[in-house]
């Protein structure tokens, strides 16, 4: 009795649930891309299919909107963030996962606490500091902020990865006479590489997606990042939806490709963290 | 991910140096001790410097600013100490109690509740699907997750745009609203309903994937035993699933709470959210507008401190939960 009910429920219920999930998750993505391609974007209304396919909004955002520069700015800032945050967080993660020292727990708790600080609390003093040191409108200044923002999370994640490398592997390397730097390079690094990839991607996405700091600090329009660059097409009363959605697509697609490519690693990374729970 | 925190974290052992050579040389041993003492700090130093300079120091500064009237002067700013004036003004304003705090708190509660509920349902669904459909659904979830807050917000605005937005037109053609006169964004309720939809769409994938990872660790035998005992689906969920992966639920709930209290971009970008409509202020937007649109850095800083204190209280709960669930300490 109960078995038959289960099969009936799965025959009807599962496909309905899957369909609902797919519509809810993908419709906004579809709507963004199809509006970007629709030459009559702003008149779409409730037409589910675009009135035609054209790339005119994409060429418009590059030609008139300077969007190429913004994408490049975002990529530069993201790259700087990956490299610096990856390196610094790896060192810190090794320190907290491998060594026992005084104030270790305090350091970990401090890292946890600074992660909770709301951006809006930081944006006011950082803006004043940056202005006083003439660092507004500087891609370097923005990168440094993003490095700080990605660090706590990266340290916590990598700490888990470093901790899962068996101590015996390291000890075996020592017995074979390896020095610490050598052990780091040829034993530890390859083993934590998946974790490093995961944290780097998250650091990159933090920098790529961030809006508040970029919007507040970057006022010279050739210094915008892509996430802020969309704002210029957005008007309170008359919005050019074609360019807004075309530039949104350009910001979103790289992240989506990233996520899909690494989704296995992402899953195992998440699982590695949650399994013990 | 953040849920690495779920682990109690194995106690980091003191690293054992290379096997003792001869053990006779006192100075060598002392040097080794010095290296052991300083090495972790050398490794930590760059990170701690960055965190102290860019997160901790500004946090102290915002506390200082909140007790000042700050004026921008040529070549820098000048602060005049005003004590707790900004706080008393803020805490006695009806805008805070009638608009800003209710918006912040109710919005966060709605977002957290719905995100965790939907995320859990989707995790349960994924757990029952075959490999193929699980992959398809996972990729769809990733797409929602990967959509940046900024672009996601623009899409939701476009869908609900007065007159020519898709939802407005459909609701108009069904006779529910008059699309010529209805503006979803001018009133608190609809404004925050749209923002909630946006935050859930962006936030539930994290919950779904984390809970799924937890679900996969539950032994099937538990459910078989439950079924033999005649437990129905709800009872099996409530008495087996929830207790077994309770730590996962705790962490995703607390993390979502922290994130949803400080939602800024999604509110600021919605029409009227940039300060032109006081009814839709939340604490973050209020702080930002005071500082950057009204040049009242002191009040902005006081609001920022208030938000930080709220989040710190939640963080304390978070840390205590982590400590309690780890077998050993951090």
């Amino acid at each position: 009795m109960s078995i038959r009910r289960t099969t009936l429920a799965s025959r009807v219920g599962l496909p309905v649930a899957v369909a609902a999930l797919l519509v809810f998750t993908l419709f906004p993505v579809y709507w963004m891309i199809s509006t970007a391609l629709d030459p009559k974007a702003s008149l779409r209304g409730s037409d589910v299919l675009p009135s035609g396919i054209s790339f005119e909004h994409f060429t418009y955002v590059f030609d008139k909107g300077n969007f190429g520069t913004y994408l490049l700015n975002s990529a530069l800032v993201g790259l700087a963030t990956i490299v610096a945050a990856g390196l610094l967080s790896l060192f810190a993660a090794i320190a907290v996962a491998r060594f026992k020292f005084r104030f270790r727990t305090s350091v970990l708790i401090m890292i946890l606490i600074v992660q909770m600080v709301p951006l809006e609390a930081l944006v006011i003093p950082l803006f004043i500091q940056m202005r006083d040191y003439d660092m507004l409108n500087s891609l370097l200044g923005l990168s440094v902020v993003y490095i700080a923002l990605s660090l706590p999370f990266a340290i916590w994640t990598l700490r888990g990865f470093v901790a899962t490398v068996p101590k015996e592997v390291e000890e075996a390397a020592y017995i074979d006479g390896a020095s610490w730097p050598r052990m780091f390079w040829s034993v530890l690094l390859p083993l934590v590489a998946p974790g490093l990839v995961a944290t780097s991607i998250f650091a990159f996405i933090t920098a790529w997606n961030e809006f508040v700091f970029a919007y507040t600090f970057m006022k010279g329009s050739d210094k915008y990042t892509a996430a802020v660059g969309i704002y210029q097409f957005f008007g309170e009363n008359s919005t050019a939806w074609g360019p807004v959605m075309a530039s949104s697509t350009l910001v979103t697609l790289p992240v989506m490709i990233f996520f899909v490519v690494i989704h296995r690693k992402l899953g195992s990374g998440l699982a590695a963290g949650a399994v013990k729970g | 991910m953040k849920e690495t925190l779920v682990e109690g974290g194995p106690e980091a052992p003191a690293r054992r140096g290379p096997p003792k050579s001869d053990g006779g040389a006192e100075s060598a041993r002392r040097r080794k001790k010095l290296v052991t003492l300083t090495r972790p700090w050398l490794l930590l130093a760059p990170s701690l410097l960055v965190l102290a300079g860019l997160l901790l120091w500004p946090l102290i500064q915002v506390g200082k600013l909140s007790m000042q009237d700050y004026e921008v002067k040529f070549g820098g700013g000048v602060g005049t100490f005003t004590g707790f004036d900004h706080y008393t003004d803020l805490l006695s304003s009806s805008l805070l109690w009638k608009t800003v705090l209710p918006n912040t708190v109710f919005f966060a509660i709605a977002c957290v509740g719905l995100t965790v509920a939907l995320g859990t349902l989707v995790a349960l669904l994924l757990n029952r699907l075959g490999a193929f459909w699980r992959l398809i659904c996972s990729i769809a979830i990733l797409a929602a997750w990967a959509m940046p807050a900024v672009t996601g917000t623009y899409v939701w605005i476009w869908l609900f745009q007065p007159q020519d937005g898709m939802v407005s037109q459909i609701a108009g053609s069904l006779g529910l609203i008059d699309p010529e006169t209805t503006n979803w964004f001018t009133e608190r309720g609809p404004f925050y309903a749209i923002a909630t939809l946006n935050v859930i769409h962006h936030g539930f994938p994290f919950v779904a994937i984390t809970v799924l990872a937890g679900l996969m660790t539950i032994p099937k035998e538990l459910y078989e035993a439950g079924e033999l005992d005649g437990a129905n689906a709800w009872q099996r969920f409530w008495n087996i699933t929830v207790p077994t992966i309770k730590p996962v639920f705790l962490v995703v709930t607390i993390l979502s709470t922290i994130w949803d209290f400080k939602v800024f971009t999604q509110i600021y970008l919605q029409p009227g959210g940039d300060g032109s409509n006081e009814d839709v202020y939340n604490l973050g937007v209020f702080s930002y507008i005071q500082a950057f649109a009204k040049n009242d850095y002191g009040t902005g800083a006081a609001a920022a401190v208030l938000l930080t204190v709220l989040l710190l209280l939640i963080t304390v709960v978070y840390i205590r939960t982590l400590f309690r669930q780890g077998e050993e300490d951090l």
Side-chain angles (χ1 to χ4, degrees):
Chain A
M1 178 67 179
S2 110
I3 288 168
R4 199 203 262 155
R5 208 176 53 215
T6 315
T7 28
L8 188 70
S10 11
R11 273 212 193 122
V12 185
L14 275 188
V16 170
V18 168
L21 177 65
L22 291 180
V23 169
F24 177 64
T25 47
L26 294 180
F27 187 73
V29 183
Y30 165 75
W31 198 248
M32 172 181 74
I33 296 172
S34 62
T35 305
L37 292 169
D38 187 342
K40 292 181 187 151
S42 293
L43 303 168
R44 272 195 90 170
S46 52
D47 298 333
V48 172
L49 292 174
S51 65
I53 299 274
S54 121
F55 286 90
E56 65 190 68
H57 300 307
F58 287 93
T59 47
Y60 175 87
V61 299
F62 282 110
D63 293 346
K64 298 274 165 31
N66 206 11
F67 212 70
T69 312
Y70 306 153
L71 285 171
L72 185 69
N73 288 344
S74 285
L76 286 175
V77 170
L79 216 60
T81 308
I82 283 188
V83 172
L87 216 59
L88 298 191
S89 61
L90 180 58
F91 289 160
I94 291 171
V96 292
R98 271 291 183 262
F99 301 111
K100 204 171 188 121
F101 55 93
R102 273 193 82 178
F103 304 118
R104 198 175 128 270
T105 311
S106 323
V107 166
L108 275 170
I109 291 181
M110 192 209 84
I111 291 172
L112 203 57
I113 288 176
V114 293
Q115 189 181 7
M116 307 312 163
V117 173
L119 299 186
E120 296 74 50
L122 299 173
V123 70
I124 301 172
L126 278 175
F127 175 79
I128 292 174
Q129 250 167 278
M130 294 270 190
R131 196 193 54 212
D132 291 351
Y133 291 104
D134 220 10
M135 288 282 274
L136 291 181
N137 276 330
S138 141
L139 291 177
L140 180 69
L142 197 61
S143 310
V144 173
V145 175
Y146 292 160
I147 292 162
L149 289 187
S150 0
L151 265 184
F153 176 60
I155 294 173
W156 270 93
T157 310
L158 273 178
R159 169 185 158 272
F161 277 90
V162 175
T164 54
V165 175
K167 218 172 57 193
E168 290 74 25
V169 179
E170 277 180 45
E171 278 167 0
Y174 286 129
I175 290 167
D176 292 343
S179 63
W180 198 79
R182 183 167 160 90
M183 197 283 303
F184 171 77
W185 190 253
S186 45
V187 178
L188 196 61
L189 200 58
L191 285 171
V192 297
L196 207 53
V197 170
T199 47
S200 299
I201 284 165
F202 277 92
F204 184 81
I205 289 171
T206 303
W208 184 266
N209 290 352
E210 203 283 326
F211 177 77
V212 185
F213 285 106
Y215 173 72
T216 313
F217 293 174
M218 313 309 257
K219 289 298 181 195
S221 69
D222 60 327
K223 290 290 173 55
Y224 285 159
T225 59
V228 178
I230 308 170
Y231 200 66
Q232 66 178 327
F233 306 116
F234 187 77
E236 187 79 11
N237 298 314
S238 61
T239 296
W241 287 106
V244 168
M245 290 299 133
S247 48
S248 294
T249 305
L250 290 168
V251 172
T252 306
L253 275 188
V255 186
M256 278 185 187
I257 293 167
F258 247 164
F259 265 55
V260 170
V261 169
I262 61 137
H263 83 271
R264 266 173 216 287
K265 287 227 166 58
L266 193 74
S268 65
L270 283 159
V275 159
K276 262 203 142 184
Chain B
M1 321 297 77
K2 294 196 184 176
E3 67 285 12
T4 312
L5 308 176
V6 179
E7 279 183 275
E11 201 184 344
R15 191 185 64 78
R16 255 166 242 159
K20 273 189 195 133
S21 37
D22 27 313
E26 177 68 20
S27 76
R29 195 181 301 157
R30 209 181 297 146
R31 211 178 66 217
K32 213 171 83 188
K33 198 179 166 204
L34 191 71
V35 170
T36 319
L37 269 179
T38 51
R39 187 155 48 204
W41 290 106
L42 287 177
L43 286 167
L44 273 171
S47 292
L48 292 184
L49 276 177
V50 172
L51 290 179
L54 284 133
L55 299 182
L56 214 55
W57 177 244
L59 202 60
I60 296 168
Q61 290 299 306
V62 83
K64 202 175 120 194
L65 265 172
S66 72
M67 297 199 237
Q68 288 179 339
D69 271 334
Y70 182 89
E71 263 183 281
V72 182
K73 295 253 167 76
F74 185 72
V78 178
T80 322
F81 184 74
T82 56
F84 288 96
D85 285 4
H86 292 306
Y87 289 99
T88 45
D89 286 353
L90 187 64
L91 292 174
S92 61
S93 81
S94 68
L95 184 67
L96 180 80
W97 297 106
K98 291 220 171 96
T99 307
V100 178
L101 272 184
N103 284 353
T104 312
V105 173
F106 288 123
F107 175 60
I109 292 174
C111 288
V112 173
L114 292 167
T115 309
V116 173
L118 181 66
T120 306
L121 279 175
V122 170
L124 291 168
L125 172 69
L126 289 179
N127 203 26
R128 290 195 56 181
L129 293 176
F132 176 74
W133 283 104
R134 186 190 285 185
L135 181 70
I136 298 289
C137 289
S138 305
I139 288 177
I141 289 173
L142 287 179
W145 198 3
M147 204 165 201
V150 175
T151 61
T153 305
Y154 285 126
V155 177
W156 290 107
I157 298 170
W158 173 214
L159 284 166
F160 284 92
Q161 180 74 2
Q163 295 173 31
D164 41 18
M166 193 197 87
V167 179
S168 302
Q169 295 227 325
I170 290 178
S173 65
L174 293 176
L176 297 173
I177 59 158
D178 176 3
E180 294 302 316
T181 55
T182 305
N183 184 344
W184 309 92
F185 295 100
T186 46
E187 269 172 69
R188 261 164 124 179
F191 181 98
Y192 273 98
I194 295 168
T196 306
L197 203 56
N198 180 2
V199 168
I200 295 170
H201 182 258
H202 188 58
F204 91 87
F206 166 78
V207 178
I209 289 178
T210 312
V211 173
L212 178 65
L215 286 179
M216 300 205 300
T217 65
I218 303 177
K220 286 227 164 23
E221 292 76 35
L222 282 180
Y223 292 104
E224 282 161 14
E227 218 157 341
L228 280 181
D229 289 346
N232 64 29
W234 170 253
Q235 286 166 332
R236 290 198 300 270
F237 172 73
W238 195 246
N239 296 319
I240 301 173
T241 314
V242 174
T244 318
I245 57 167
K246 199 169 142 213
V248 176
F249 281 119
L250 272 176
V251 168
V252 295
T253 308
I254 295 171
L255 279 176
S256 307
T257 310
I258 290 168
W259 292 333
D260 293 345
F261 259 96
K262 49 183 188 182
V263 167
F264 178 86
T265 310
Q266 288 93 329
I267 303 296
Y268 187 84
L269 289 179
Q270 279 196 171
D274 60 356
S276 44
N277 183 1
E278 277 195 353
D279 286 349
V280 299
Y281 275 163
N282 72 1
L283 208 42
V285 171
F286 173 75
S287 160
Y288 191 88
I289 299 299
Q290 286 297 324
F292 293 100
K294 304 193 172 159
N295 277 320
D296 182 358
Y297 290 97
T299 307
V305 170
L306 198 63
L307 180 59
T308 310
V309 169
L310 265 175
L311 287 168
L312 276 181
L313 290 178
I314 300 169
T315 309
V316 169
V317 178
Y318 183 27
I319 290 177
R320 287 181 57 132
T321 313
L322 285 175
F323 266 100
R324 210 171 294 153
Q325 89 200 16
E327 303 93 63
E328 301 140 281
D329 62 357
L330 291 166

